[in-house]
Amino acid sequence: MAQQRIASLTILILIMFAALPDAHGQPATRDAEISLATLKQGNERFAAGRLEHPRQGPQRRAEVAPKQYPMASILGCSDSRVPPELLFDQGLGDLFVVRAAGNVADPVAIGSLEFSTAVLGSPLIVVLGHESCGAIDATLKGAPVPGDIQKVVDAVQRGLEGDSCKPSPQLLDCSIRANVDYIVRKLSAQGAVLPELVKQGKLKVVGGIVDLDTGKIAWRP
Ligand SMILES: [Zn+2]
């Protein structure tokens, strides 16, 4: 039964990919390495203060209004200092962005990423953590938090269980890295859609940490 479901899902995904026409104007790439290289170049421009703000004018708006072909999906933190379109110097229709405090991968986030990859054909997911993340810090401190903030803390806590970070001045940085690495592993291994795409070579999942001072992203190995 489970095998049948996986087979039908695989066929459905193949149909979706086959049915997607090329974007007119600038076709979105289906090559994760090209997407990653484009994001790295954009981040270098951001860090150097040389933003080009590409594909943000009326022509691009008209191009992508009928359909989107995002070249990458970003699972980032909601923090006001890390907006992906600026960090990567990209434009309209380039990035499919999912954001939540602590860049946690809850079922709604995973479902959104399944849509961007399996349906829209985005070949790359970047899990993007950042320096001084308040959600990770609050989780490490363990103090009571009001309302549904506890749900964020609980989600981050699950990602930090079993990590190798020790109490030290570097604990927060280590935990931010551990959280990103955990989510990269989780997206690559859990659920019915993303691991299958990874296995088929149609999806790459990578992690990165934003340095708030330099704007540079340290990519995880
Ligand atoms: Zn954060």
Side-chain angles (χ1 to χ4, degrees):
M1 242 353 235
Q3 273 180 338
Q4 261 180 348
R5 272 204 303 274
I6 290 169
S8 346
L9 180 71
T10 307
I11 290 163
L12 181 68
I13 289 169
L14 288 173
I15 289 168
M16 284 167 169
F17 272 96
L20 282 172
D22 286 348
H24 68 102
Q26 279 192 314
T29 180
R30 295 285 160 72
D31 185 326
E33 297 305 331
I34 293 175
S35 292
L36 189 54
T38 306
L39 296 186
K40 285 180 177 176
Q41 286 165 5
N43 181 242
E44 280 171 21
R45 293 196 298 274
F46 173 75
R50 292 186 287 101
L51 285 171
E52 291 176 359
H53 303 289
R55 297 176 294 284
Q56 295 180 9
Q59 187 191 337
R60 177 63 168 178
R61 197 168 63 226
E63 260 176 31
V64 297
K67 186 88 173 115
Q68 57 171 329
Y69 306 87
M71 64 159 168
S73 309
I74 315 291
L75 174 56
C77 182
S78 304
D79 192 293
S80 62
R81 299 164 291 181
V82 289
E85 286 84 354
L86 283 176
L87 287 174
F88 293 116
D89 194 21
Q90 298 301 312
L92 290 173
D94 289 337
L95 306 178
F96 189 101
V97 178
V98 181
R99 292 177 77 176
N103 38 277
V104 295
D106 69 1
V108 173
I110 292 176
S112 303
L113 293 169
E114 289 176 348
F115 178 75
S116 72
T117 54
V119 179
L120 299 179
S122 172
L124 176 71
I125 293 176
V126 178
V127 179
L128 198 58
H130 66 96
E131 182 191 5
S132 305
C133 183
I136 314 292
D137 194 36
T139 303
L140 291 172
K141 285 184 172 140
V145 289
D148 282 348
I149 300 176
Q150 189 61 46
K151 287 184 181 157
V152 176
V153 167
D154 291 345
V156 172
Q157 187 61 53
R158 279 193 288 279
L160 300 183
E161 275 163 17
D163 70 24
S164 57
C165 300
K166 306 270 184 295
S168 77
Q170 286 77 44
L171 176 62
L172 178 57
D173 287 340
C174 179
S175 302
I176 288 166
R177 291 192 295 271
N179 182 51
V180 164
D181 293 349
Y182 164 78
I183 294 166
V184 169
R185 287 197 306 274
K186 179 175 175 175
L187 295 180
S188 307
Q190 290 182 20
V193 175
L194 301 181
E196 185 65 21
L197 290 175
V198 170
K199 207 165 79 182
Q200 292 173 7
K202 289 177 176 160
L203 175 65
K204 188 179 171 85
V205 186
V206 300
I209 314 281
V210 184
D211 182 314
L212 294 180
D213 303 288
T214 65
K216 285 183 184 162
I217 290 164
W219 296 93
R220 301 295 297 147

